[in-house]
Amino acid sequence: MSKKSVSEAAVKRPWCMITDMDQYLFGEGTHYEIYKKLGAHPTEYNGEQGVYFAVWAPHAKGVRVVGEFNCWGNDGYPMKRLDPLGIYEVFIPGLREGSMYKYLIETESGDYLYKADPFASYAEKRPGTASRVADISQFIWHDERWMEKRKTWNSAEEALSIYEVHPGSWKRHPHEEDEDGFYNYRELAEELTAYVKDMGYTHVELMGIAEHPFDGSWGYQVTGYFAPTSRYGTPEDFQYMMDYFHKHGIGVILDWVPAHFPKDAHGLANFDGQPLFEHPDSRKGEHPDWGTKIFNYEKSEVRNFLIANALFWLNEYHVDGLRVDAVASMLYLDYGKQDGQWVPNKYGGKENLEAIWFFKHLNSLIRGRNDGAMIIAEESTAWPGVTKDVKDDGLGFTFKWNMGWMNDFLEYMKLDPYFRKDNHNKMTFAMSYACSENYILVLSHDEVVHLKCSMINKMPGYMDDKFANLKAGYAFMFGHSGKKLLFMGNEFAQLQEWSEERELDWFLLKEERHQGMQNFVKALLHMYKKYRCLYELDDSWDGFQWINADDCYRSIFSFVRYSKSKRKSLLFVVNFTPMERPDYRVGVPKKKKYKLILDSDAKEFGGKGRKRPEVYEAKKGDCDNQKYYVEYPLGAYGIAVFEF
């Protein structure tokens, strides 16, 4: 194979090669498609087919491309330095897709580093750490209808029920068939789509898609920001999965990690022998608790890397939304740090001004696309205006995970029912701030790991009580203002804590209680999609009315959800104690007929299946500060939802 370099031929440079304008925009932090220039790109040059490589390594004394094609020897293909940014480039004729490669970087101190390509589209399957040449531009998409429809989507007023999935542990093949047992992307597409559609979710949120070396990180310590993990197949397989989801009406959200990255030798850390992607001051550039590096948001090229990466997933893989991990760790300079481990901003405060600016820049771009793409903050503090528009001095996210609701909810649900009367406000407090942001109510993977117990085993009492408690909790969640997210396994009451090392315990569905739980969650999901009142006015008090928020001694909550048109409103009544209330009365706002559409006592949900009237006539009389009331025999841990 000839080692002809780019500079040896005075011919027209292919589209993918770096220009002066590319360098200028990258230096300014505004080259939103820099991934089309940096990285490895199959192309034709000087009449020969091959691959063009470009890498940003300004502190390097020299860079070579090494790989299978030269038996990983140090005599790889020398790259030409382009100033002023210190980008290195080379065209290697004869190289093909699938070839494994790394950059051999000679540092200023004379050391040699073997680095994976930060912009690689594909990576070797772990434990290998090489990059692979891939052309992701050839896939033919068939999701035009979905993408066009998404442009008209008003996220705040649409149904959004998310199934959070770790692909490697949702389902697995028997180990004798495959070393890991992972389903590949194409298998996942078909099985996961069928399950999600049957259950009634609108979206899946996929964990751990960007390439990462360690399974136990769940994908939150990324080394390949532009590469779908090879654990489950090729980039084309991933495109197939995205296309398949969309053709069947399912949206896809990916976890995205711009907060930190690992110190693995082949990754971004000290990439060219010096801090490049991370801040050089360890007080700004390292998370002491996590053992990871923090991106340097002060550097325009680093901000460009992250912004281009977010847009890459939206553009090249048609992703519908990004859930941004660990936002609080980016916003606060002192996050997870002791005195002396952090540096105040120029005003003496703990706010990370550069990270704030980064979010405003990124979210302005995503909102400005007007194509229905979402960006969701996993933000665990009371930072104001997370979902407020940037021009109104907000951060500009589409949604925020409601971590406050989740913590209060779980603390309440863990209590013995006897003590719930003294903690009633844990279930009502979230409505006092529900309109301050666009929220998603979450019961995510973080709540069922690290000895926190599975959802069902957080519940008090004997096993029947646990199931009844959890159904009551889910009913309250689906009635409450805010979009919804459930982690896989929560829907059928997985008994074990989740582990990335094994598939979910699907065999539990052979047992009546677990099947009843899955049926109940399925009914909630389909009810949620059917009734606009459950999602259309999530950010307004026009969509929610407490009937009785103060019935602490009986631990019963009753409320109404409204749509804009006020048609097909729903009344929720949820009893959080094992006490039956055969003569229960609930106040209602209208003298109407109230149709029972969800009854937790139904046989299909594991209840006793007692016969109850389907329609209840409102009677005149003061009750719960309403002029009318409905009488209904409310069972132990009883749940009743009425349409009117």
Side-chain angles (χ1 to χ4, degrees), residues 145-338:
R145 183 177 297 179
W146 170 270
M147 297 300 285
E148 281 299 313
K149 183 181 178 182
R150 202 184 73 183
K151 291 178 182 178
T152 65
W153 203 62
N154 181 343
S155 57
E157 296 184 4
E158 296 291 341
L160 181 63
S161 53
I162 303 166
Y163 188 48
E164 188 188 26
V165 175
H166 178 265
S169 57
W170 182 66
K171 285 186 178 180
R172 286 193 178 184
H173 296 298
H175 280 289
E176 57 266 20
E177 293 183 20
D178 180 86
E179 179 185 355
D180 293 305
F182 294 143
Y183 278 39
N184 66 38
Y185 289 120
R186 292 173 185 263
E187 291 174 310
L188 275 167
E190 296 176 15
E191 288 221 23
L192 191 50
T193 294
Y195 184 76
V196 165
K197 283 183 69 69
D198 180 58
M199 287 297 294
Y201 293 97
T202 65
H203 288 67
V204 293
E205 180 176 310
L206 299 176
M207 299 168 57
I209 292 301
E211 192 59 82
H212 53 285
F214 177 48
D215 290 13
S217 78
W218 311 332
Y220 292 114
Q221 295 196 12
V222 177
T223 50
Y225 274 82
F226 291 83
T229 179
S230 54
R231 287 167 175 79
Y232 317 125
T234 67
E236 183 180 309
D237 293 334
F238 182 70
Q239 287 171 315
Y240 174 91
M241 182 178 73
M242 291 296 305
D243 198 47
Y244 193 92
F245 276 129
H246 285 171
K247 286 190 296 182
H248 291 82
I250 301 298
V252 184
I253 300 163
L254 298 188
D255 273 357
W256 187 56
V257 192
H260 64 128
F261 56 91
K263 297 179 181 178
D264 294 67
H266 69 286
L268 299 180
N270 294 309
F271 184 77
D272 55 5
Q274 296 184 37
L276 182 64
F277 290 91
E278 68 269 44
H279 200 285
D281 186 335
S282 63
R283 296 172 299 171
K284 291 185 176 182
E286 292 198 27
H287 275 301
D289 288 347
W290 299 345
T292 55
K293 298 283 190 177
I294 300 173
F295 281 104
N296 185 358
Y297 309 107
E298 298 174 17
K299 190 178 288 186
S300 56
E301 295 92 341
V302 174
R303 295 195 304 269
N304 199 149
F305 171 82
L306 291 170
I307 290 172
N309 181 243
L311 298 176
F312 164 83
W313 292 105
L314 302 179
N315 293 336
E316 306 305 319
Y317 287 109
H318 295 197
V319 167
D320 302 293
L322 298 172
R323 175 265 192 188
V324 184
D325 183 61
V327 169
S329 75
M330 297 172 65
L331 293 175
Y332 294 98
L333 294 165
D334 65 341
Y335 186 92
K337 298 178 181 180
Q338 305 298 321

Side-chain angles (χ1 to χ4, degrees), residues 284 454 628:
K284 291 185 176 182
S454 64
Y628 307 97

Side-chain angles (χ1 to χ4, degrees), residues 94 112 144 146 175 197 201 216 226 292 436 456 508 558 595 613:
Y112 288 88
E144 298 87 354
W146 170 270
H175 280 289
K197 283 183 69 69
Y201 293 97
F226 291 83
T292 55
S436 63
I456 190 67
L508 291 173
S558 53
K595 180 182 178 183

Side-chain angles (χ1 to χ4, degrees), residues 612-624:
R612 285 192 171 94
E614 184 177 320
V615 178
Y616 296 79
E617 191 83 42
K619 300 177 181 178
K620 190 170 179 59
D622 292 337
C623 181
D624 297 328

Side-chain angles (χ1 to χ4, degrees), residues 395-408:
L395 293 182
F397 284 91
T398 317
F399 292 107
K400 172 180 173 174
W401 273 22
N402 196 335
M403 310 294 279
W405 172 87
M406 178 272 297
N407 283 311
D408 287 345

